[in-house]
Amino acid sequence: MIAGRNLAAVLGGWSVRHRVAAIGGWLLVVVVTTLLGSAAGQRQMTVDEYAAGESAQAIRILQQAGISQPAGEMIMVRSDALTADDAAFRDAVGALTAAVQATGQVTELVDPYVSGLVSADRHSVLVRFAMAGPSDTAWERVQPVLDAVAAVRAAHPDMTVGQFGAASANKWFNDTVLRDFHRAEWTAIPLALGILVVAFGALLAAVLPVGLAMTAFFAANGLLAVISHRMHVDSTASSVMLLVGLAVGVDYCLFYLRREREEREAGRDPQAALQVAAATSGRAVLVSGATVVVAMSGMFLSGMLLFNGFAVATISVVLIAMLGSVTVLPALLSILGAKVDLGRIPGLGRRGDDRRRARGSRIWGAVLARPWVSAVAATLFLLVLAAPVVGMRTEKLTFDKQLPADTPIVRTYHDIARTFPGGPAPARVVVQAGSLETPQVRQAMADFTAAALATGLVREPVRVVATSPSGVAEIEVPLAGDGSDDVSVRALHALREDVVPSTLTKVPGVRVYVTGDLAFSSDFNDQLGRSIVPVLAFVMGIAFMVMLFAFRSLTIAVVSIVLNLISVGAAFGVMVAVFQHGWGAGLVGTVGVGAIESWIPLFAFVILFGLSMDYHVFVVSRIREAHDAGMPIRAAVLDGVRSTAGVVTSAAIIMVGVFAVLGSLSMQDFKQLGVGLAVAILLDATVVRVVLLPSVLALLGDRTWYLPRWIDRLAGRRRHRDAPATEPASSETRDEDLAAVPDRSSAAEA
């Protein structure tokens, strides 16, 4: 019988009684939102919408002044045998410039011999130009230029001809990385399906969670496309949404299905089994989903459009997947009944659960027999993994760090940066004055050039590349270093803190903003640094309140937050060790790049804090259910972890598999994200669930359910039990299992 009816039970009951309306309404919503999204199309963020701080101000002023920033390109020609003064070398450069101009796609082509873009050893020259037309679509028009350069390269096999720039880099990205990402998306689907087949041992039961997760994604993606017309989103928002939706949607359905099957196998009729599943696993799904949504909503506090888009994408798919799990899934199960096991595969499913449960009983018996030892050992292990976090360094990874070092376009980037320092990533100084023609302004700009070069951190040529009648000028300043190293950082700081204040801004009414790739990265990182504290405080505070009132236990709320922080810290420590220091980086096909991508910590924290609640809520719900049925705390803990072992293990394998797919991508930031998420879920589902959580609750005893009276009164209702009344230990926890767990509880627990 059901001791109380909660929201999940009410929704499940309604869906069973109105199964046609529930299923038909779900399909209608999915179809309508998908069609609306397809018709509207997704609007993606422009380059200026990623900017923050001083860089954002500079870009905004240039736009207001009508100064567009065309997509710049560079072609370096090098010969070890010839110098730039040799006739054959000049002929090759001439053929290159003629071929590029003949495409009709370039403008502002700079003669390297006139502009002084010849290397110090006279063996290399740099041909610079801009793509004609809007910069955000230049990658779509750069192919003829790439073909022209390739033809010149083929005609001069004794020379090295390499191209790099905004258009060619974006072309490479869109052709290679996004294709790589889409392939990974659809790798995750059969992977999840295969794991579910093993978990359930039946084809139809395996298809249901994937089907519901995918329809939830289609609906959420349609909504995201419509919303993107008011709030632009990142190009990877849909891909992130698919992976999160697949992981969460499959897990929610898995929890529900396994509980329904468990109750049927325990002797309940299909209707009663469905009622129990709705009131227990359905409730766990709602609590878990609410916690995930709360965690994701913390991204809105970042003050950055990038995270706003990620928040909308992930919240949408989690809410829809959660709604489908407690409505359309019960309706489908009420129709299918025992037929949900259609396509049964001998040797899989229940028998594997029995073996895992038998092994688990021995493990948990040992953990609960020595809870102090288990808790201390698990905590020390996780803290050791978390130790590298102390030295974590974040930055907006540059193009050359994002991609494998052996990629041709990355090799070209390094060749240009080494031969022409500051060339690939110059600083851009935006000057705003009433008039650029006044003697004071003209002198200040001349002084600026002289002072910048005098620092020894700036390369020639420092040149004005654009002006407007409204009194705005853009100055290009090549920085020393490779554009992202410590030398370049010092050069940027020198410009902003010394050169600009001592020259340009000394003129009354003149405002100056420094932007460029390095400045853009620095400002982006600074904005993230300012937003991380309020985001963390919000996520942990609201998650604490959700857990407090969901389980009506102050202890459970505190333990949940602390255990999540420890597991997230351990995952971050692994990320720093692998990707910053390079320890074991070869195992994931990369090298240490000296830093973590700046947006990863905030995004990974909110994702992990939400997703780790999946298992935590599900396990604690079963422990609470067993305790409310009359079991002492240690028996309830053993029953809870044993009864959830199979479903949590399967769900964890799916999540680890889905996120590990991200680790197979070419881009460094997605490798970092994928490995971090996979490690966190793995640790959370093994060390935390198997050892730390049971041992901590066993040590706490009945204090696990402590709730101060004033909080109980604040909640506005008397403590109640809304879980199904289950039989005592005989249903899940055998006498011999309990005999192995000595009761060292406090007098209160006894």
Side-chain angles (χ1 to χ4, degrees):
M1 60 178 278
I2 303 298
R5 287 180 63 79
N6 52 43
L7 178 59
V10 171
L11 291 173
W14 182 91
S15 299
V16 169
R17 293 191 303 273
H18 305 86
R19 63 189 70 173
V20 174
I23 297 172
W26 175 264
L27 293 176
L28 180 63
V29 168
V30 171
V31 170
V32 169
T33 52
T34 302
L35 291 177
L36 284 175
S38 298
Q42 190 178 101
R43 297 288 298 275
Q44 296 179 354
M45 293 173 62
T46 57
V47 174
D48 59 291
E49 289 176 320
Y50 289 93
E54 190 172 330
S55 294
Q57 293 175 296
I59 293 173
R60 187 161 50 249
I61 289 171
L62 290 174
Q63 290 176 336
Q64 293 171 351
I67 298 176
S68 61
Q69 289 185 303
E73 290 289 313
M74 295 170 285
I75 305 172
M76 190 176 80
V77 182
R78 179 172 180 81
S79 172
D80 293 331
L82 303 175
T83 69
D85 303 310
D86 292 330
F89 197 110
R90 284 180 172 271
D91 289 344
V93 173
L96 176 66
T97 56
V100 168
Q101 286 179 314
T103 64
Q105 299 292 337
V106 306
T107 184
E108 301 179 18
L109 192 146
V110 178
D111 187 327
Y113 293 99
V114 174
S115 60
L117 292 176
V118 180
S119 65
D121 64 2
R122 308 296 294 178
H123 284 279
S124 302
V125 302
L126 190 66
V127 178
R128 303 185 63 164
F129 59 91
M131 294 295 299
S135 59
D136 56 346
T137 58
W139 69 272
E140 299 174 355
R141 304 184 301 276
V142 77
Q143 188 59 52
V145 179
L146 294 173
D147 293 339
V149 173
V152 173
R153 184 186 302 116
H156 299 82
D158 55 334
M159 306 182 77
T160 301
V161 182
Q163 180 176 349
F164 176 84
S168 54
N170 284 337
K171 169 72 172 173
W172 190 95
F173 176 85
N174 287 309
D175 287 352
T176 305
V177 177
L178 291 183
R179 183 176 64 241
D180 191 22
F181 208 117
H182 293 320
R183 184 174 63 251
E185 294 169 5
W186 298 107
T187 300
I189 296 172
L191 177 65
L193 190 59
I195 295 170
L196 287 170
V197 168
V198 174
F200 283 115
L203 294 176
L204 183 56
V207 168
L208 278 180
V210 175
L212 278 173
M214 290 307 300
T215 52
F217 163 72
F218 292 141
N221 199 43
L223 287 177
L224 183 66
V226 174
I227 294 171
S228 71
H229 285 260
R230 295 300 301 268
M231 184 188 73
H232 296 172
V233 297
D234 184 75
S235 60
T236 61
S238 290
S239 298
V240 171
M241 173 194 282
L242 173 60
L243 295 177
V244 171
L246 186 62
V248 170
V250 168
D251 277 9
Y252 291 165
C253 293
L254 181 60
F255 294 161
Y256 211 107
L257 276 167
R258 289 298 290 267
R259 186 57 187 264
E260 189 271 344
R261 172 188 276 189
E262 179 184 319
E263 295 300 326
R264 280 194 291 111
E265 291 176 347
R268 297 185 188 271
D269 62 76
Q271 182 178 0
L274 200 52
Q275 288 176 339
V276 173
T280 54
S281 291
R283 180 178 182 275
V285 165
L286 290 182
V287 174
S288 175
T291 309
V292 173
V293 168
V294 165
M296 304 300 184
S297 63
M299 286 188 280
F300 287 121
L301 298 180
S302 68
M304 304 179 73
L305 185 61
L306 171 67
F307 290 105
N308 292 348
F310 281 142
V312 169
T314 51
I315 289 173
S316 299
V317 76
V318 170
L319 282 176
I320 294 173
M322 180 178 67
L323 182 62
S325 298
V326 296
T327 55
V328 70
L329 182 58
L332 288 170
L333 291 177
S334 70
I335 295 174
L336 293 171
K339 294 179 181 177
V340 72
D341 291 329
L342 188 67
R344 191 87 184 187
I345 301 175
L348 297 180
R350 180 70 185 181
R351 189 174 302 172
D353 286 349
D354 292 339
R355 290 193 296 267
R356 283 192 296 270
R357 188 169 296 165
R359 289 194 300 267
S361 294
R362 294 190 293 271
I363 296 173
W364 293 307
V367 167
L368 295 178
R370 298 175 180 82
W372 269 112
V373 174
S374 301
V376 171
T379 302
L380 287 177
F381 173 72
L382 293 174
L383 290 178
V384 168
L385 290 181
V389 168
V390 176
M392 183 167 68
R393 178 174 180 266
T394 62
E395 67 177 46
K396 194 78 173 64
L397 297 180
T398 53
F399 182 84
D400 60 312
K401 292 183 179 180
Q402 282 279 17
L403 299 175
D406 59 351
T407 304
I409 197 167
V410 173
R411 290 202 301 267
T412 299
Y413 174 92
H414 284 302
D415 289 343
I416 294 175
R418 184 170 52 252
T419 310
F420 298 93
R428 298 184 180 277
V429 179
V430 177
V431 181
Q432 186 179 38
S435 171
L436 298 174
E437 300 303 323
T438 64
Q440 296 92 333
V441 173
R442 293 170 67 90
Q443 183 60 49
M445 293 179 71
D447 293 342
F448 167 81
T449 300
L453 293 172
T455 64
L457 296 171
V458 167
R459 305 293 186 227
E460 293 187 281
V462 177
R463 60 195 183 103
V464 177
V465 294
T467 59
S468 78
S470 61
V472 175
E474 181 183 5
I475 306 172
E476 185 179 275
V477 184
L479 302 177
D482 64 6
S484 63
D485 60 8
D486 291 340
V487 175
S488 297
V489 170
R490 290 202 307 272
L492 175 64
H493 289 166
L495 284 179
R496 283 180 164 178
E497 298 169 11
D498 299 327
V499 177
V500 168
S502 65
T503 56
L504 293 169
T505 55
K506 290 180 69 175
V507 179
V510 173
R511 288 178 290 180
V512 180
Y513 306 94
V514 181
T515 185
D517 290 349
L518 181 59
F520 188 103
S521 172
S522 177
D523 294 338
F524 186 92
N525 215 29
D526 290 344
Q527 175 63 31
L528 280 176
R530 289 190 295 270
S531 62
I532 191 72
V533 172
V535 170
L536 298 188
F538 173 83
V539 171
M540 290 189 293
I542 301 299
F544 175 85
M545 298 302 295
V546 171
M547 298 300 292
L548 176 66
F549 289 104
F551 291 101
R552 305 190 64 76
S553 167
L554 178 63
T555 307
I556 287 294
V558 172
V559 168
S560 300
I561 299 300
V562 172
L563 295 189
N564 266 355
L565 285 176
I566 293 174
S567 63
V568 170
F572 277 22
V574 172
M575 275 198 296
V576 171
V578 173
F579 297 103
Q580 182 172 317
H581 300 303
W583 304 338
L587 298 175
V588 291
T590 187
V591 296
V593 293
I596 301 297
E597 170 63 35
S598 55
W599 63 269
I600 294 286
L602 188 149
F603 182 73
F605 176 82
V606 297
I607 292 284
L608 290 176
F609 210 87
L611 294 185
S612 62
M613 284 296 181
D614 267 0
Y615 314 119
H616 191 78
V617 168
F618 193 63
V619 175
V620 174
S621 295
R622 292 301 291 265
I623 294 173
R624 183 58 188 262
E625 182 183 331
H627 182 263
D628 287 349
M631 291 185 186
I633 184 63
R634 295 198 182 202
V637 169
L638 181 58
D639 182 81
V641 293
R642 284 184 67 246
S643 61
T644 57
V647 64
V648 169
T649 300
S650 300
I653 292 172
I654 290 171
M655 275 202 183
V656 170
V658 167
F659 293 133
V661 168
L662 284 174
S664 68
L665 302 184
S666 301
M667 296 287 285
Q668 176 74 202
D669 53 358
F670 284 110
K671 279 186 179 293
Q672 294 179 0
L673 180 63
V675 170
L677 294 177
V679 168
I681 297 299
L682 181 63
L683 292 173
D684 194 65
T686 54
V687 179
V688 174
R689 176 182 63 87
V690 174
V691 181
L692 196 52
L693 177 63
S695 59
V696 169
L697 296 187
L699 289 170
L700 289 169
D702 279 341
R703 293 185 296 272
T704 297
W705 313 115
Y706 170 71
L707 183 68
R709 290 182 180 179
W710 68 270
I711 296 181
D712 203 18
R713 288 195 299 270
L714 185 64
R717 61 183 176 86
R718 188 173 57 85
R719 197 172 190 170
H720 71 280
R721 294 168 179 150
D722 58 5
T726 59
E727 294 77 4
S730 59
S731 63
E732 285 292 346
T733 306
R734 302 187 305 269
D735 292 339
E736 57 267 31
D737 294 329
L738 292 176
V741 185
D743 193 352
R744 301 192 182 112
S745 309
S746 64
E749 181 181 345

